[in-house]
Amino acid sequence: MKTAPCKHQKGSISILVAVSLVALLGIVGLAIDSGLGYMIRARLDAATDGAVVAAGQAVTRGNNKSEQTTNATQAANAFFAANYPAGFLGSTATAGTPSVVFDNQGTVTIGMSAQAQVPVTFMQTLGFKVLNVSASSQAIRKTLDMAFVIDTTGSMGTDPTEPPVVRANAISFLNSFDITNDRVALMHFAYGTIIDTPFKLDSSRGFERATMTSQIQKYSFSGSTNSSEAFWNARNQMNKLQNPSSLRVIVFFSDGAPNSFASAFTFAKKAKACNNLVGTIASPDSKGKMSGLWRFDQLQTAFSSPCYDSDLEGDSSSFIPSLPAYYNAHNPTDTTFPIITNSPRVVTAAVTYQNVNRASRNLLEAMAADARNNNIYVFTLGLGPQLVQPAGPDNELGQDVLKCMANTPDSLPRCYNSKQPVGVYCHAATPGDLAPCFSQLASQILRISQ
């Protein structure tokens, strides 16, 4: 005997199915609308992150905190507007006013928040009409100490169109930094080094950009390349600071590998009265006789008689019988940087082109490594085609020295040290490439300062 279907049971199943469908739609809607919210949140995060970074770079511009705050605010708002398109995925976004806070030590803290609303579709079944998304970002612009070293040797002036471009771009580079909070020391070199403007050694911050601009505009270009003396002075400027900043950088700009160095030299017997005279001995650009001694604290001035019995451009070995064991131009007992060494280039005591040239390169690389070991970043900029042409007694590339100084990952294997600060090297093949190179260095310095 057949049993008739229960109409009441069919109705219960229909209700359960309907309720289940509503719940299922709610779950699906939650997943879809939540996914939409995540995409909006990611875009919002990226826009506020980039905005505070842009503000951190713009805050360096201006002659006072009011101008700097205005520049930072404008940069943040412009970056946010450009990177969060109106109506993105149907949302409406509102950016808050950026906060720019200066402390007494020169650190600037920049914050920005933003909100976005987006209408929901499936989640309306659960009673929601809009989804609210928010994001906030903060960047801290660290204090900066920077030594800016500029090569003013003769090779920089071979092309008469080059010096004006060098001066203009060096000045423009300084405009990237905060004259009220950053500290900058400026120096230039040839046979010797001139410190144009040293660091402020008291507790005050900032630098005189107008003064440095005037100094750079007066640069003339002549003399040999005593790079290690310039770097020693940059490093010494850093060491003198009693209250160093959280970020320390040496920016070294040159158009060639070093071929000279300074030290205290022992003279031949007939010039014994001049023993321990500190000066620069220079090698030529190719194999030949050494010249010197030149003043290590001036650009191209030679010491006068009675310390010589040969013409200045003659053979220095006639009155300098051997090279010193260590670089001791500033301290006669200093043994930090060896001259006579087997590494990385072999240098003996003989006064030869090979030894003077190799010692010049060894000293520069060793001083840069010592600076990085003290948590100082080294950024280098090379100008001209000669840097990528083999030269010197070992047919080395000049840019390899600059890469070693900066500790770039593509430097020679013997140079790169992942435990030390990694800097940047940029090669400007022509004077026209200087502007983007200086811009790259400034951007990278400002990036690591945040």
Side-chain angles (χ1 to χ4, degrees):
M1 177 176 161
K2 295 182 179 178
T3 302
C6 180
K7 294 182 180 180
H8 178 72
Q9 189 178 26
K10 286 183 177 180
S12 298
I13 292 172
S14 298
I15 293 172
L16 288 173
V17 170
V19 171
S20 298
L21 284 173
V22 171
L24 181 61
L25 285 173
I27 294 171
V28 172
L30 180 63
I32 294 175
D33 290 334
S34 294
L36 182 66
Y38 280 121
M39 288 189 288
I40 292 173
R41 171 62 185 274
R43 189 61 177 257
L44 206 62
D45 276 334
T48 55
D49 285 347
V52 295
V53 170
Q57 296 177 347
V59 80
T60 62
R61 300 194 296 271
N63 295 318
N64 52 59
K65 291 180 181 179
S66 177
E67 292 180 4
Q68 292 167 339
T69 299
T70 298
N71 290 333
T73 301
Q74 290 175 346
N77 289 333
F79 189 96
F80 183 88
N83 288 274
Y84 195 96
F88 177 68
L89 295 180
S91 66
T92 302
T94 304
T97 301
S99 63
V100 183
V101 179
F102 299 82
D103 70 9
N104 294 330
Q105 286 72 47
T107 298
V108 185
T109 303
I110 301 167
M112 187 176 190
S113 60
Q115 298 77 38
Q117 287 187 335
V118 57
V120 295
T121 303
F122 296 100
M123 286 179 63
Q124 290 187 19
T125 60
L126 300 179
F128 297 97
K129 293 185 178 180
V130 295
L131 185 64
N132 294 306
V133 180
S134 62
S136 61
S137 300
Q138 185 182 81
I140 298 177
R141 209 288 190 168
K142 302 175 186 176
T143 56
L144 171 67
D145 296 334
M146 182 179 74
F148 186 21
V149 184
I150 301 177
D151 182 342
T152 58
T153 57
S155 56
M156 296 283 281
T158 303
D159 180 353
T161 65
E162 194 169 282
V165 179
V166 170
R167 296 188 195 98
N169 282 281
I171 291 169
S172 179
F173 176 69
L174 289 175
N175 292 335
S176 301
F177 301 97
D178 184 353
I179 62 172
T180 62
N181 292 304
D182 295 335
R183 286 187 295 216
V184 178
L186 174 68
M187 61 203 72
H188 64 293
F189 73 96
Y191 284 107
T193 298
I194 301 295
I195 300 176
D196 301 294
T197 304
F199 282 128
K200 295 180 178 180
L201 297 181
D202 56 17
S203 59
S204 63
R205 303 199 61 83
F207 67 99
E208 300 294 333
R209 186 158 56 202
T211 299
M212 292 183 180
T213 296
S214 177
Q215 290 166 335
I216 292 172
Q217 288 173 336
K218 296 176 182 177
Y219 284 171
S220 59
F221 299 83
S222 63
S224 188
T225 311
N226 187 358
S227 303
S228 57
E229 184 61 26
F231 199 92
W232 186 94
N233 277 280
R235 172 180 165 273
N236 188 53
Q237 283 290 305
M238 293 287 184
N239 292 341
K240 284 183 176 180
L241 291 172
Q242 298 299 313
N243 55 336
S245 293
S246 51
L247 175 62
R248 300 188 295 166
V249 180
I250 294 175
V251 176
F252 191 90
F253 168 48
S254 180
D255 74 336
N259 58 11
S260 312
F261 70 89
S263 238
F265 290 88
T266 299
F267 280 59
K269 186 175 181 180
K270 52 189 170 183
K272 196 171 182 179
C274 300
N275 276 351
N276 298 319
L277 180 66
V278 178
T280 297
I281 187 169
S283 70
D285 292 331
S286 58
K287 188 174 181 180
K289 296 179 180 181
M290 304 305 100
S291 68
L293 287 177
W294 301 81
R295 292 290 296 267
F296 74 115
D297 54 353
Q298 296 181 19
L299 297 183
Q300 55 178 334
T301 304
F303 287 102
S304 59
S305 297
C307 294
Y308 303 97
D309 59 359
S310 64
D311 183 74
L312 177 65
E313 295 302 326
D315 187 358
S316 297
S317 63
S318 64
F319 55 89
I320 300 176
S322 64
L323 299 179
Y326 295 94
Y327 171 85
N328 55 9
H330 301 270
N331 180 351
T333 63
D334 191 354
T335 58
T336 306
F337 304 111
I339 292 174
I340 310 304
T341 180
N342 290 321
S343 177
R345 302 167 184 86
V346 176
V347 179
T348 67
V351 183
T352 65
Y353 162 70
Q354 183 181 59
N355 284 329
V356 172
N357 197 284
R358 285 179 173 179
S360 302
R361 296 172 187 239
N362 284 348
L363 286 171
L364 183 56
E365 290 180 12
M367 290 179 182
D370 179 78
R372 299 193 310 268
N373 198 46
N374 286 281
N375 205 35
I376 298 172
Y377 284 82
V378 180
F379 283 53
T380 55
L381 193 161
L383 170 64
Q386 65 270 21
L387 286 169
V388 293
Q389 297 170 358
D394 303 301
N395 288 321
E396 296 176 279
L397 300 183
Q399 75 170 8
D400 283 341
V401 176
L402 295 174
K403 286 183 178 181
C404 282
M405 293 171 65
N407 193 35
T408 62
D410 65 338
S411 63
L412 299 175
R414 64 172 173 78
C415 298
Y416 179 62
N417 186 341
S418 61
K419 296 180 180 180
Q420 292 182 339
V422 176
V424 173
Y425 164 70
C426 187
H427 179 224
T430 68
D433 298 319
L434 279 176
C437 265
F438 270 120
S439 179
Q440 179 186 349
L441 265 60
S443 296
Q444 290 297 324
I445 292 170
L446 293 173
R447 184 176 298 277
I448 61 175
S449 72
Q450 297 171 355

